Structures are given as structure tokens and as C-alpha cells.
Amino acid sequence: MERERALELLQAVQRGELAPAEALESFARPPFVDTAHGRVDVQRALRQGIPEAIFAPGKTPAQIAEVVRALRAEDQPALATRVAPEVAREVQALLPGGDYVADARLLWFGPAEVNLRGKGSIAVVCAGMADLPVAREAAEVAQRLGNKVELLCDVGVAGLHRLLAAVPLLREARVLIAVAGMEGALPSVVAGLVDKPVIAVPCSTGYGAALGGGAALLCMLTSCAPNVAVVNIDNGFGAAALASLINRL
Amino acid sequence: MERERALELLQAVQRGELAPAEALESFARPPFVDTAHGRVDVQRALRQGIPEAIFAPGKTPAQIAEVVRALRAEDQPALATRVAPEVAREVQALLPGGDYVADARLLWFGPAEVNLRGKGSIAVVCAGMADLPVAREAAEVAQRLGNKVELLCDVGVAGLHRLLAAVPLLREARVLIAVAGMEGALPSVVAGLVDKPVIAVPCSTGYGAALGGGAALLCMLTSCAPNVAVVNIDNGFGAAALASLINRL
Amino acid sequence: MERERALELLQAVQRGELAPAEALESFARPPFVDTAHGRVDVQRALRQGIPEAIFAPGKTPAQIAEVVRALRAEDQPALATRVAPEVAREVQALLPGGDYVADARLLWFGPAEVNLRGKGSIAVVCAGMADLPVAREAAEVAQRLGNKVELLCDVGVAGLHRLLAAVPLLREARVLIAVAGMEGALPSVVAGLVDKPVIAVPCSTGYGAALGGGAALLCMLTSCAPNVAVVNIDNGFGAAALASLINRL
Amino acid sequence: MERERALELLQAVQRGELAPAEALESFARPPFVDTAHGRVDVQRALRQGIPEAIFAPGKTPAQIAEVVRALRAEDQPALATRVAPEVAREVQALLPGGDYVADARLLWFGPAEVNLRGKGSIAVVCAGMADLPVAREAAEVAQRLGNKVELLCDVGVAGLHRLLAAVPLLREARVLIAVAGMEGALPSVVAGLVDKPVIAVPCSTGYGAALGGGAALLCMLTSCAPNVAVVNIDNGFGAAALASLINRL
Amino acid sequence: MERERALELLQAVQRGELAPAEALESFARPPFVDTAHGRVDVQRALRQGIPEAIFAPGKTPAQIAEVVRALRAEDQPALATRVAPEVAREVQALLPGGDYVADARLLWFGPAEVNLRGKGSIAVVCAGMADLPVAREAAEVAQRLGNKVELLCDVGVAGLHRLLAAVPLLREARVLIAVAGMEGALPSVVAGLVDKPVIAVPCSTGYGAALGGGAALLCMLTSCAPNVAVVNIDNGFGAAALASLINRL
Amino acid sequence: MERERALELLQAVQRGELAPAEALESFARPPFVDTAHGRVDVQRALRQGIPEAIFAPGKTPAQIAEVVRALRAEDQPALATRVAPEVAREVQALLPGGDYVADARLLWFGPAEVNLRGKGSIAVVCAGMADLPVAREAAEVAQRLGNKVELLCDVGVAGLHRLLAAVPLLREARVLIAVAGMEGALPSVVAGLVDKPVIAVPCSTGYGAALGGGAALLCMLTSCAPNVAVVNIDNGFGAAALASLINRL
Amino acid sequence: MERERALELLQAVQRGELAPAEALESFARPPFVDTAHGRVDVQRALRQGIPEAIFAPGKTPAQIAEVVRALRAEDQPALATRVAPEVAREVQALLPGGDYVADARLLWFGPAEVNLRGKGSIAVVCAGMADLPVAREAAEVAQRLGNKVELLCDVGVAGLHRLLAAVPLLREARVLIAVAGMEGALPSVVAGLVDKPVIAVPCSTGYGAALGGGAALLCMLTSCAPNVAVVNIDNGFGAAALASLINRL
Amino acid sequence: MERERALELLQAVQRGELAPAEALESFARPPFVDTAHGRVDVQRALRQGIPEAIFAPGKTPAQIAEVVRALRAEDQPALATRVAPEVAREVQALLPGGDYVADARLLWFGPAEVNLRGKGSIAVVCAGMADLPVAREAAEVAQRLGNKVELLCDVGVAGLHRLLAAVPLLREARVLIAVAGMEGALPSVVAGLVDKPVIAVPCSTGYGAALGGGAALLCMLTSCAPNVAVVNIDNGFGAAALASLINRL
């Protein structure tokens, strides 16, 4: 159960609109559900504020659908990441109604509209067009988790004027997500221009010494700006989840 | 100039207590100061909310003193990190008045008391006693930057009951810093127990496959909890600076 | 020859049911058999208690069949691991009668029922659904080697309650196998909850800093729990073989 | 409290030699003790069968003494590993009575004689004289944890006859610990000669491509013998602890 | 020109069977030939005793044929390595007459029979069936370069008896090539049994910590036997070429 | 706008052939153009002397065409690198007129003839035929950027005479680009023969310990020749761009 | 002999001021000189335009003095790099007259004044004060090789205004050297602001994920600016040598 | 017993100078001797043609002396490598008579003169003066094992003329050892100039990307010359031992 939903239930009880016994039913459900292949954590949203996401690679469409079903049965939204188009189609064939966002490789089962829960906006900036899929994943997830999001692409540090032109937009954000592959210098430069937390996402774009995102990762970890923290390579989802929690503070 | 100090000046002008021309003097100073060896960023506190810290290794005591002087001349606190006791003594001989915190290896020149600027408390948890110097650096810096801090040591994941006993304390915090060396599993477990941002600090404690903190770093980056971001190995200062900015939101 | 079979022969001689000369025939066979492509170790079961397994990748179906035939001719079970479905089909076309377990990628030629040789049960726990193929390999092999096996999936450390709910089951086992990819923290937490040996299997699931299982491997090697030892990435077979030997003690 | 001690208490109650209320006193103590610097796990022996060991590097003699005191106060033996001679001297000055084993770098506070708890013997074999300190750590710890131990040095694989001469001794052991640096081939060869579990300990001896034990570690993880599992580089303590648990089965 | 061919020419001149002017023609040819895409070293056989080999991956069939033609025009044998079957077919379509050895992935243009130039035999041993393609490459090349070759497969160190049974064969060889993937311990053990040079070839077989042959490579480089030297991963050709030069001494 | 074009405009104004207002129009355009997916840097040629290149991998044909259009609209040449044949075809279907150079994987939209802007010639040398695609990329780009280029292939260091025969050609060049995979020794040897800057390009050709170009990269970075600098693995474009800027000095 | 000196000799001959026989004496000297320990390349300056430098670490003061003597005997300047103060003192005791520059760790034996040979100025910029020793090495060497040099420190990318304030100075340079440790982003940003070659020098400053300069190295190699090439970590000498050759073009 | 000594005994028997029973005494001794700390392989010289060498680091002077004594008691020479001067002094105090070669860090106990057993000469070439200790170790060991040795220093590939001047000397050798740090290109170039086996020894000289000899190691393993094999970093002893065996063929 999402924290918000739990609060609604309790308020309904307070207002006399819901019998305590009936509310209890909702609360007394076990914190996980055993399916054919595993144990689904159906209270992560309640405990961590972020619903459990399904990392699609390595799972069959049937397994993905199984977890989605378990979550939906508990009134939770279900979000699958890194979903290839053909996998999405197969899951949607098994379980109609999902919303597939191709350029962010996300499959969403839940309300089309979400309440705004973040207090300010989240800015997602990315260095080059090759980093766009990861930036889009971050932006899309942040939006589905209840945030206002600004996305800005192609502001690599070798053409500073493009980034400097965006400074006002950056300064407006309450939290920033900076996505970059190759040399991964963007978060350091962005962080120097704002006094807000910057979540850095290294990208696996690039070749040779880029080491599949490793160079960007190291570069971000060693940033000389004190307001940068880093998530895993290509982990747009994680960056968005964390930014959402910060934006709710 | 620190943001807070700038606001005070402007409010003094508003209240008629300070002549605009006099205030101007303060504001018109250039954003950096050239010293014998380098260009000191004296407006970082204004721009990023966190005063510039001096990373001591590789600098001579004279160079450290030089930067401290430039910052103090601009009414900023000065904070040097990773300061060995003998270096601290030499700097303090050149520039009396600093406050040396031995177990956190910090040298602070600034007001003894700082105003509370963080809205909630920051919890610093560390896995084992060997991680304590880094955890102490984080705790001490967070306090100097205006936060209420709780420090908890020796709650490694192989003895879960010690950590579980601390859950209420963890849940009270607005931001958490989790410090761990060796296998670095602590942040993942902590993050699963709260719905707040967790900043993970890998520690260079350990041997062999610990790779000087590299194993913990990789472990933290690949955490299956969505509310974890990572800073550089042993970077207690960075974690505290970032946590402070988040705690001011 | 398997140790058990050797004992049976000797007991038959003791009981006068088998002529020594006839028994000798069985024992006098050379300890390896030269086939078209190699030298098959047909006494590994006798020497090490575990029959030689055929690692399928890089071998042609004909080569796999060749080794199976040599082992079966010596009255040994034959077990091929990492067998892709199409390879299994080709081997079974050449050599009817094998049993292919698709989700564990195992191909087994031997008795359908095996005698229970382990003294207690082996618990196989895995962190997430993506680790299931490796966990299934371990569970299936352990069973074929004569053990009672309990398999538990989706008990990752970021949702501790799922794992804690399974503590009674873990405490019942005589040996434990803990399978995890990404940050690989599961074995450390499991080992802290029991006083039995835990064999850790890192999984190649994950992306970016997971380094194809390398992060989990390092994490497990640096576990602060003293009752953990590690096998190669994805090596469900090895974990099961070792657990079987321990369970026979 | 050690498991054995707990059993004694309960048996004393059964025999009427100890009043339940008095026994309760012993059991009702909290599972950890907070000292000046950390939270000591005083029930690890009860929970995991192995008392908590103190990894000395990075701790001050005062901190080591503090943990020893906390453990001794709970009637537990205390074992510190990797203790340099001068550190041992300082701890023993603070806390008389410990037993320092120089060639194994161990400092032990506890009974001089321990009861034999292992059912068979543990064989510790090491490839060369440079691996001896790690092998000695393993042997000494195994003995203190209640096992009969055989130690055999200088049986590297480039002089097979030395190892082959020791086969009878190896076959007698119930568990084996194989310690090797450089190319780390010893555990594979040993494992092929026995049908018992072999715990491999890579050593940081060697130079160049030995990568501080990394080459041996990789070699052991990829062993083609199915009865090998690996612990961290130079981790003689861990190998002995695990071997002890197995030897008690 | 091959050294042998050069000697023949000079001897023919000595015997009066060849006019010096005619011989000069052969010698006066430039030491390389420029083709459409590169500069072919047509005197490597003369200079280094081994004809230039064509590493096929990354070259088009047309480019391979171009180099073969240039070498054949200078009366040199041409040898292409790592030739996929379809590439071999295309080259042979462009340039009839070559001899394709599928299991060693070699394409040879030259005399069907070569003179024996090595003084003794070369033994090629390999640890497992998965290493066979590399071992076959080494054996086949050594034979084409004029050596008597013995190939022995499946003598991995975890089943020592298979290797020990082959000791007489190993002791007969003048040079040995030991091929092994996974933990790569074979060359160390082999080298301890003979007093001849052993060339170690790490194989890319294996998974996880085998690091694509990197574990075997490190293991071989750190061998405690003093008579081992190592070539690149999977470099059967190089091992054979070097062994041939040694066998001619 | 390219620097050259800007100069022409200003000279036209000087000569009275262009009205200042009209010229202003050209100069007043913003330094970047926002397209559907990103922000194109249309003044890089003006600022850095080298037009922005489009790294094709990870971009759709539509995205490539979009950037080309934005650059052409600003009178700039557009150059896409690493363009697979099928991608080139799709881009050319969307945007007729480009020139695809298959063996260098380049797609060029711009004038067929470029003015010579380099003061001397650039020599591109490569070690073997497998390095040819990268060498061709470098040569082709250098030519399109206005340089006279000499390309020399197959001059690896194991056949020095081929390289020594080319010394006069190398000494004529004003800047040199040395391309090599495998051991990457070519740039060191070349640099020792000339007194001009040498730009080293490691190639991803090779296998095993070549580490996808990593061995060559390390070798080039540690060259004992003082006139060598290195670019990323396979980065023929970067080497050519840098060489062009140097050749214009 | 330095190229310049050779030209002077030839011009003296041309002007009739020097007898050809006398000039011949100078030219006929062998291109290297054998000393007690090695073969000194006394014509590197003639061949490569840069005199041979002596890398001091690993050489005894006596060996350094030996090489200096050999070079001075041939009328060449001698430059030793990475010279510790005590080593410098010992060499100067053996060989009076050298000039030791402590903060750049250089020991120079040669004319106090050098002719300006570079056509423009070289700008050396470094990110932080910890990078100063390397930047000073580069600046000092460039000056001794005949260049006008501008050195600018503390212009890290997290405080862009400091760098932007220096843009005019950067644009004036004909070649730039950018020195940075930690994340190494400076060269990318600098390169985006100029149209001249930028030589990037990664620094071993930093800790943890900085990997002793490895992170900066990777970051610089993957720079998205096309006018950057990289030299080895801390190689201020190499950057200066290369920049000097470029500045002479 | 050394092979040569065994032959002498047998020949004495043949000549009637030694009673068979007496000779038997010598042969019947066990193949290893157990000392206080380990098992010394006293027949390695007989089995492998090379006496066992004692790698000094990590052994106490007493342990070294213990092994020397065991070997000398069996009439074998004893050779300790990597012996620091103070360790040599301590060993020699315990066991008079050894010969310490300081610049090669070798301590030799055995006959002052050894018989020439190699059929030709071994050439040891090294790239720079910093590689001299390793080259000296190789040269000195080769000499003590009965070879004629030529040592040539400072022939790095960036000054080819120095190497080319030595070609006649290289061509005379029967086996070559090429020692190089930094980029490690020397063996490839040397191997291209001769038709004999070249043993490459990477050196740990250098800094930064030299990775403590790792760059040179990779470079040598990927050499495009087919007559190169590689030993561990700094392993001058191993190269000499292997070269000796080859030179005896």
C-alpha cells in the first residue's frame, strides 16, 4: 500500500466514512505476497515511499505479469523498467491496460494521472543526445512519482554556452539530475552553478576508454563539487526515485 | 560570503541599519581572491550554500594557512579536511585560533557556535569501529554546517539485531548517511527500513578483495534499494555537505 | 564408479553373492577412459564423492554425448550443466533417455530416483527473481546428489521483513546456499542469522557497476560474517556439490 | 554467551544445580553492549557458533581492550587478529592475561585449554614458506575453536611429489584448508585427491601479476574441482571459523 | 623467402647448377611488397624463421587473398589463423588450392608435405575438451612448421591420475605447450614434471571470475615453476611458432 | 559558422560588398539551435575551428538527419562518424546529397572540395591491415578539414625495415598520426624518428590481453618518446581534428 | 647536438668562419656514448628537437651524474625530472653548477638563459593547488625549452567563474596544457573555449575512486572536445616537450 | 642432486671408481627434506635441471639460512633472489661463505666457478637504466647456471639507432632476454630482428599508466612478433632459468 493511500484510509476512519474493521482488513494483509516464482514486496511504497519497480531484463513476460498482478491486487502502481518493445507487447497481451513509454523503455500499470507530491521541480539535464534514453527514464519516472519535471538535452561541457544559457532553469529546480556518458563532467559543472543536491547518473554511451560508463562513473565520484552523489550506470530510475523522496522533504 | 550573511546585510539595509553604499562594499568584492599559489573561491558559500573546504593532503601548512586567511578575510568559515595532527599544529602555529578535531581530522576556523539551519536531524550510521574516523568526519562537518546529528557505530549487517534496535532512531532522521567498508551492505539494509534519502559512504577499511574500498563502492552503487546515492570512498565531508543541503530543503 | 556402488559390490562379495573374480572385473577398470576427443575421468565419483559434470558451453552435442556415453558405460550418472534447450534436444536425439530440466539448464542421465545421502536439508535462498536460474541449478543438483532441498526466492536485503519471515526455515538447514546478484549482500545477512556454513554464489544479474557479477563476488568475499565461503559467479553446480559433501559429514 | 555455555546452564537447571531465576539472569542480558566507541555483539557465539573476532588494523590498543573487556564481561573468549607485536604489548599492558601468538599475529583472551568440539581433524596445507603466517593463523584459530589440526607446509604444485607424499594425511581430514599465493593452484590439486570440502585461502605473497593475491583468488574461484569454496585474501581466520562449523556437523 | 629456400639457392650456385645472376634475381627482390591495402613482409621467414601469419578477424576475404597471393608469389607458404568456415570458403573461391583445417580454424596455402626441421617432438597438452580448438591450432601449426607433435587432451589438475599416466610421453618431448582455461594450473604442474621449456597458453574458456582467460593468464605468469613462459590468451599459433624455433636449436 | 566564413563576411563588409546590417543578420544568430531532441552547437566551427561531428552509434537515422539539417541551415558542413552502411542509407533517404565513405564509415554533408587550410602535410601511419578502418577515418577527416594527407599501412614494429623504408615520407610531415592495435608500439618508434608532434591512436584490434585496445592505450601513454600524446581508442576523428588545428598553426 | 647548434656550425662554415674539417669533427661523433651503465642518446635533440631527459626515480645520484656528464660533454643541456631534494644535493655535490628548481623537482644543467624558439605563448592551467607541482614542472620545462609561458592555478570546473575570468588569457595562447586530478574535467571545458590544441595532463592527486590519476586519465581520453590529446599521469615534462614542438611549427 | 652430479656418480660406478652400494646411498635419499618450517625440494635440479631458488621477501634470515643448509647438505647450490643488503648480511652471519651480488640482489651459495652447460650465448638487452637491476638479475643467474652472457643496456625503441647498432651482437645469441618497463616495446622490435626465441621480462619501472609493469606486460603479451613469450613482472630469475634450459637443448 502506498503511504498516501494508507493516510486516506486512516482519514476516512477518522471522518467516520470507513468502519475500523474494514480498514483493518486493508492493513492486516501480509507485507509480501508469495507468487509462483517469488515473494513480492507489496509494502515497499508504504515503507520506502517508492513502489517496488520491476527490473525487466532476465525476467520472462509471464514473470513480469505475475509481479504486476500481485502489486495491482494490493492497489499499488506497478512500474517495469528497461522493457524492450517486444517484451512490453507480450506483457500487455497477458495483462491489458498498461502504458508503454517507448523512448524511456518503461511499462506502467497504474493511474494515468498522479497527484503532485513533490514540493518543487526536478531538473533533468543530459550531456548529449546519446544519453537521452536514460534521461527520459529519469524524467518519466519522476513525473509518475508525482513531480514537476524539466528536461534539457545536449548541454555538454565542451560547449559551455549551451549550459550557461540554461542557468536560470537550473536554479529554479529543487533537486537536479545530471546524466552524462563519455567523460561525465556535466554534474561537476552543474553542481557548481546551484546550491541544491545534484544526483549524477553515468551513462554507458561512448567507446574505448569510456569503459561502458565506468569513466563517467569515476569522474562523477571524484567530482570536486560537494553537492553531488552518484547512482549506478544508466540508473535513471534510481535517480528519479531518490530525487522524488528529496523533493517531498 | 555565506548566503546567510548576505541576507543579513540586505535585511540590515531594509531596516535602515546599514547604508546601501556600505553594503555595496561587501557585495562588490570579486568572487575570487588571487593568493601566492592560487585563486581562492570566496563565494562558494553564497553560490553553493557550502563553504569551500581545503583538502589538506598534498598542500603545505603554509598553503593551507594562505587559503584560510583568504577565506577568513571574506568573513567565511574555513574548513580543512584530512589534516594530520602535525600539519594541524603547524597551521595553527602560523594562524592561531583554529579548532582541531583529532578523531575527525578536521581543522576549523570559524564561529564556535553555528546556527541550526537544517530542518530535521541527520543520522550517521557506521558498520564497524574501523569506519569511525570517516563517520566522525561526516558527523562533525554536518554539525558545523548547522545540523542536528545522531551518530551510531557498530551496526554491521552480520549482527542485524544491533541495527534493528536502532530503527526508531533511523526513522526520525530527515536524511541518513551510511558508512561502511568491507562488503558495504549497510546502506542497502538501512535504506530498506526508511523512506528518506540515504547517502552511502564506502570506506577504505578492509583488505584483499576489499580493494581499498572498491568492493564497498561497487556494492553501494548496485544497491537494490532505490533511495541510495553514493559519494567517493572515505568522503565523509562530501556526504555531510550534501546531506546539509538536503536537510535545508 | 560411485562410492556407494563400490560399497555395494564389496558387501555383495562379503555376503557371498558375488564372486571375487567378478567383483575384481569392476574394480580393475582403468580410472579414465580415452574417447575420440579426450580422457574422461570415470572415477571422480569414487575419488571425490561427486560425479564429473560436463560443462556444456564450448562443446558440441556430439562431444557431450561422447562423454555421457563413457560415464554411463561405467555405471555412473552423467550431468551436463548450462545446456541450452537446442543443445539438449540434439544430445537427446543422439542419446535417448536423458532428463532435461529447462529452468535449471541441466541435462541428467541417470536414475530418476536417488537415495537420500545428505544427513539434513540444504536451504537455497536467492535475492531476486533474476537470480532464479542459478538458484534452481543449485537446488536441482543438490537434489540429484541425494539431498533434501528448500528453495526460497525474492528475499533481498532491501526488504528485510521477507527474509526475517523465513528465519525458522533457514535455521533448520544443515548447510545454506545464498545466491545474489547486484550488491550481493544476502549471504552476509543470512550468515548472521544462523550457525551453519553458508556458501555464497554471486550472480551475473545486474548492470553497470555490477560488473557481470564482480561486485557481488567482491562483496561476498569481504563479508564480515565468518561463516561464508564463495564460489565462482553463477556457479550453482559447484555450490550444490560442495554443500552435498558437507551435508554427508 | 557461547552455545556450549548456554547448554551447560540449561543442563545445570535440569539437574537442579542452578535455580531458574539465577539462570534467567544470564540469559536476560541484552544481545549487545554499548561501549565508548561502539556496540559489541556479545551473542555472536550463541547465534553463529563462533565468537566475534576483533580485526585489529585501524583500531587503537584502547579500542581493542575496550571490546575485549566487554566480551570477557559476558564470559566470552576474545580473539584479536592481525595484531602487530607492539599493539599486542600495549593491549596486554592495559589488560593483563592475554596470550599472544606472534607467528600467527593472534591475541587471545580466554581459557588456555578448550574442549574439543570438532568431530574430526582439520588439515591446513600451504604452498610455500611465505604463506606460513596465514596458514598459522588458520591452524591456531581452528585449534582455539576446539579442533584437532594438522599443518603441512611447502607442498606447492611445481613439486608434486611433496604433496603426493602427504595424501594419507589429507585423506584423514574431515575438512581441509588450502593456503596458497602466487598462482594459487594448490586447492584445485588437493581437492582432486579427497572427497571432503576444501576451503581455499588466497595469499598476498608474490609480486607483479600476482596482484597482491588477486591472481590466486581468481585461480581458486575458477577451480575445476567441485569441492572448493574461497574466502578473502589472507583470511586465515575466516577459513578456520568456517571449517570449525563444518567440523561440528 | 624461407631460410631453407635461400640456402638451397646458394648451394645450387656452389654446385654450379645455378648462375649467380639468376640467383641474384631471387635475392634482389625487395623485402616487402606493396599491395592494394598494405605492405606485406615477404622476408619474415628468412629473417625470423617463421612465415608471416595472417590474423583473419577484421580482414575481408579479399584482403586475406591479397596477402596470400603476395606471399605465394614469393614462394612462401601462407597461413591464415582464426578463419571462420564461411570466410575460408570465400577466400578459397577467390584463390583455389588452400587447405582448410576446420577444428583448428586454419587456412594453409603451401606444400602438403613439409620437411621435418625440429630436432625432437613437441608435446601439446590441454586441460579440458573446451580448450581443444586452441590446442589443435597449436598442434597443427607446429606440424606445418616441420615438427613431430603429440597432442593430449583432458588432463586437468583436478584429476591428477590422468596427467601422471602421461608423464613418459611428456618427458620425451623437447618442448612442451600447455593449454588451459579456467584456473590455468596445468602448466605449473606439467613444468614440475619435466626439465624442458614449457610454453603456457591461457584459454578464454570459462565464465565469471575466469575473466575471459585473464585468470588463467595471471595464474600462468605467477607459476612457481621456473621453466614456464606465457603467450597471449588463445594464442595457439604463437606458442607453436616459438616452440618450433626452440625445437630447431 | 566556420571561422573562415566569418572572415569572408567581415572582409566583404570591409570591401563594401556587404551591408553591415546584412552581415549583422548572420552574426546575430544564436550560438545554438534547439531541435526536437537536443540543442545543436552551431558555432563550434567558429569557436573551436572544427565543425561539430555527429557520433552516430546510439542515434536514430532521424536524429542524425535532424542535427545535419540544423548545421546545414547555418551554412556549416556536417560530418557523422561511425555510420553503419544501413544507417547511412536511411539518413540519405531522409536527406539527399550526403557523401558516404564506406571504408571510413563517414557520412559528409558539405562542399565536395575544401580549401587547403593546413600549412604542411599530415602523415597517417598504421601498424597492420586490421587498423585500416581507423586510419582511413583519420585520413579522410583530415582531408575534409583542409589538409594534405599521406596514408601508409602495414608498418608494424616487428618488421622494422618496412617502417625504416618510409622514414623520408615521415620526416616530410608537419604532424603525424600513428594508429596501432595489439601492443601499440608504433607511435614510440615513429616518434623517435621525427622532431614533430605525433598523435597516437590505439586500436581495438587484437584479442585476449589486448583488452579491446587497452593494452595499446597504456603502451602509448607510457611511451618513452617525449613527442607523443594519445586520444581515445579507435578515435580517428579526434586525432584528425587535433592534427588539423596543429597543422594550421 | 641540438638542431640549432648544428645549424650554427653549418652557417659558420658557409660564412667561411669555420673550416669544414673542423666542423666535420663535431658532426662525426657517434650518435650515442657508452658510459659505465648504459648507452646515452646524445643526438636526441638533433633528431627529435628535445634533449633527452633523465627520469630520476630508480637511478642513483652517481648514475644521474654519469648521464649528465655524457650529455654536457656533447654540448647538450641536461635535464633531470622528479628529482628529490636530497638526490639533487648529491648530484650537485658530484657535479657542481646545476640549477635545482625545488617546486618543480627539476635539475637543470645548461645555459641560464635560453633563446626563445616558440612562436607564441604556452598557457598552463591547473585545476587545484594540489596539481601545482605537475603544472610547475610543465611550465618550467616549457620555459627552458624556449617558450613564453603563462601559468594559472585553481580554476577547477566546480567554480566556473574563475575559469571564465581567464578566457582572454587562454585565447592568447598558441598551445595549452591543462593539468587536473580528481575528475579531470578541466581540459574538456578549456578545449571548448579555444580553437587551439590542448594537451591534457591527468594528476595523481585525489583518493578513492580517483585511482591515483586513473579517473582523470579516463575522463580526459573520453573528452567530447575534439582538440584534446592526453599524456601519462603526472607527466608535466612530456606535455611541455610536446607543446614546445607544436609551438615551434 | 643436480643432473650433472648424478651422471658423474653413475660414470664413477661404470669406471669402477665407486661401489654401487655407496652410489645407492646418494640416490636413495628422499626427494625432499623436512626442516623446522617446511619441506625443501632437494631434487628439483635433478627433475627440472634448475636448482630450487629461494624467493627472499617474506622469509626471515633464519628461514632462508635453514633452506640453504638443507640444499647444501644435499650437495646442491643454493640461490636466493630479491635479497636486500641487510638480509644478506644477516644470512651470511648465520651461514658463512655465500657470495652476495648487490646490484642483482642475489645471494649464492655454491661453487665460485660453474661449468659451461649452455651451447651458445644468451643476450640480455634492457631498454633503460632503470631496468638494470632486473637485467642484472637475469644475466647473473644465467651465468651461474652455466651460460655465456652478453648484457646490453639503454637500447630503448625511441632511439632505434642504439638498438640497430647492436644487431650483430643480438644475432649471435642462441636465446635472448629482453627487459623493459614503461611501454615495453623492446621485445617486439628485438624479436623482429632475430630468428631465435625471445623471453620478455616486463619491468615495474615507470609511473601512472605504467601500472607497476602492467602496461609493459600487456604490451609484451600482445606482441605481433611470433617468437616472444613472457614471464612475470621483474622476474629476471625465471627468464634466466628458462633461457638456460633452452640453451642446453
Side-chain angles (χ1 to χ4, degrees), chain H residues 4-121:
Chain H
E4 220 169 47
R5 172 84 181 112
L7 195 63
E8 279 169 26
L9 284 177
L10 292 171
Q11 289 168 337
V13 172
Q14 189 186 34
R15 290 190 305 266
E17 292 166 19
L18 186 72
E22 219 170 324
L24 184 66
E25 195 77 335
S26 299
F27 284 111
R29 310 184 78 150
F32 52 79
V33 170
D34 281 321
T35 68
H37 293 93
R39 182 163 278 191
V40 181
D41 187 350
V42 292
Q43 292 194 342
R44 184 162 294 186
L46 187 61
R47 214 175 56 249
Q48 281 183 282
I50 300 291
E52 189 171 49
I54 306 157
F55 183 68
K59 296 200 182 69
T60 63
Q63 289 176 327
I64 295 170
E66 176 187 316
V67 182
V68 171
R69 243 183 241 113
L71 289 165
R72 295 304 290 149
E74 299 293 320
D75 251 342
Q76 290 212 28
L79 177 65
T81 62
R82 313 266 175 115
V83 188
E86 57 281 8
V87 173
R89 263 192 303 278
E90 289 189 55
V91 175
Q92 289 180 304
L94 293 168
L95 209 74
D99 180 10
Y100 182 58
V101 189
D103 68 347
R105 294 167 305 169
L106 293 170
L107 183 55
W108 167 265
F109 289 83
E113 288 293 298
V114 292
N115 296 337
L116 214 59
R117 301 180 59 186
K119 296 186 182 161
S121 75

Side-chain angles (χ1 to χ4, degrees), chain F:
Chain F
M1 198 188 320
E2 282 193 285
R3 213 176 183 90
E4 221 171 47
R5 172 82 182 114
L7 193 65
E8 279 171 25
L9 282 178
L10 292 172
Q11 289 168 337
V13 172
Q14 188 186 37
R15 289 190 309 265
E17 292 166 18
L18 185 72
E22 218 169 325
L24 185 64
E25 195 75 339
S26 299
F27 284 108
R29 309 183 78 150
F32 52 78
V33 170
D34 282 321
T35 68
H37 292 93
R39 182 164 277 191
V40 182
D41 187 350
V42 291
Q43 292 194 342
R44 184 164 291 185
L46 188 61
R47 212 173 59 250
Q48 279 183 284
I50 301 291
E52 190 170 50
I54 306 157
F55 183 69
K59 298 201 182 67
T60 62
Q63 288 176 326
I64 295 171
E66 177 188 314
V67 182
V68 171
R69 242 183 241 113
L71 288 164
R72 296 304 291 148
E74 299 292 320
D75 250 342
Q76 290 211 31
L79 177 66
T81 63
R82 314 266 174 115
V83 188
E86 57 281 8
V87 173
R89 263 194 303 277
E90 287 190 54
V91 176
Q92 288 180 303
L94 293 168
L95 209 76
D99 180 10
Y100 182 59
V101 188
D103 68 347
R105 295 166 305 169
L106 294 169
L107 183 55
W108 168 266
F109 289 83
E113 289 292 298
V114 292
N115 296 337
L116 214 60
R117 299 180 59 186
K119 294 185 183 165
S121 75
I122 294 175
V124 179
V125 293
C126 82
M129 216 177 266
D131 309 322
L132 204 50
V134 173
R136 281 286 297 128
E137 181 183 293
E140 189 72 25
V141 169
Q143 217 155 16
R144 303 269 174 176
L145 294 177
N147 299 281
K148 186 158 162 293
V149 178
E150 297 286 342
L151 172 60
L152 187 64
C153 181
D154 256 339
V155 289
V157 299
L160 269 190
H161 58 293
R162 294 184 295 187
L163 180 61
L164 295 179
V167 166
L169 190 149
L170 301 177
R171 292 236 167 106
E172 253 167 48
R174 212 162 169 251
V175 196
L176 297 99
I177 295 173
V179 180
M182 297 300 282
E183 89 266 66
L186 184 64
S188 294
V189 176
V190 164
L193 298 168
V194 300
D195 61 347
K196 295 293 183 305
V198 175
I199 303 168
V201 190
C203 260
S204 59
T205 51
Y207 59 93
L211 299 178
L217 172 61
L218 293 172
C219 176
M220 291 170 180
L221 284 166
T222 54
S223 173
C224 46
N227 47 337
V228 173
V230 188
V231 297
N232 197 3
I233 295 167
D234 291 337
N235 190 5
F237 166 75
L242 181 57
S244 296
L245 286 185
I246 295 175
N247 197 23
R248 288 178 196 165
L249 287 177

Side-chain angles (χ1 to χ4, degrees), chain D:
Chain D
M1 199 188 319
E2 283 193 285
R3 211 174 184 93
E4 220 170 47
R5 172 83 182 112
L7 194 64
E8 278 171 26
L9 283 178
L10 292 172
Q11 289 168 336
V13 172
Q14 188 187 35
R15 291 189 305 266
E17 293 165 19
L18 185 72
E22 218 170 326
L24 185 64
E25 195 75 339
S26 299
F27 285 109
R29 308 184 79 151
F32 53 78
V33 170
D34 282 320
T35 68
H37 293 94
R39 182 163 279 191
V40 182
D41 187 350
V42 292
Q43 292 195 344
R44 185 164 292 187
L46 187 62
R47 213 174 56 249
Q48 281 183 281
I50 301 290
E52 189 170 51
I54 306 158
F55 183 69
K59 297 203 182 66
T60 63
Q63 288 175 327
I64 295 171
E66 177 187 313
V67 182
V68 172
R69 243 184 240 110
L71 289 164
R72 296 303 291 146
E74 299 293 320
D75 252 342
Q76 290 211 31
L79 176 65
T81 62
R82 313 266 174 114
V83 188
E86 58 281 8
V87 172
R89 266 193 301 277
E90 288 189 55
V91 176
Q92 288 180 304
L94 293 168
L95 210 74
D99 180 9
Y100 182 59
V101 188
D103 68 347
R105 294 166 305 166
L106 292 170
L107 183 54
W108 168 265
F109 290 84
E113 288 293 299
V114 292
N115 297 337
L116 215 59
R117 301 180 60 187
K119 295 184 182 164
S121 73
I122 294 176
V124 178
V125 294
C126 81
M129 216 177 266
D131 309 322
L132 204 49
V134 174
R136 281 286 297 127
E137 181 184 290
E140 189 71 26
V141 170
Q143 215 155 17
R144 304 269 173 177
L145 295 178
N147 299 281
K148 187 161 161 290
V149 176
E150 297 287 343
L151 172 60
L152 186 64
C153 181
D154 256 339
V155 291
V157 299
L160 269 189
H161 58 293
R162 296 184 293 186
L163 180 61
L164 295 178
V167 166
L169 191 149
L170 301 178
R171 291 237 167 105
E172 255 168 48
R174 213 162 169 254
V175 195
L176 297 100
I177 295 174
V179 179
M182 296 300 283
E183 91 265 65
L186 185 63
S188 294
V189 176
V190 165
L193 298 168
V194 302
D195 63 346
K196 294 293 182 306
V198 175
I199 302 167
V201 189
C203 260
S204 59
T205 51
Y207 59 93
L211 298 180
L217 172 60
L218 293 171
C219 176
M220 291 169 178
L221 284 165
T222 53
S223 173
C224 46
N227 47 339
V228 174
V230 188
V231 297
N232 197 2
I233 295 168
D234 290 338
N235 190 6
F237 166 76
L242 182 58
S244 295
L245 288 185
I246 296 174
N247 196 23
R248 289 177 196 165
L249 287 178

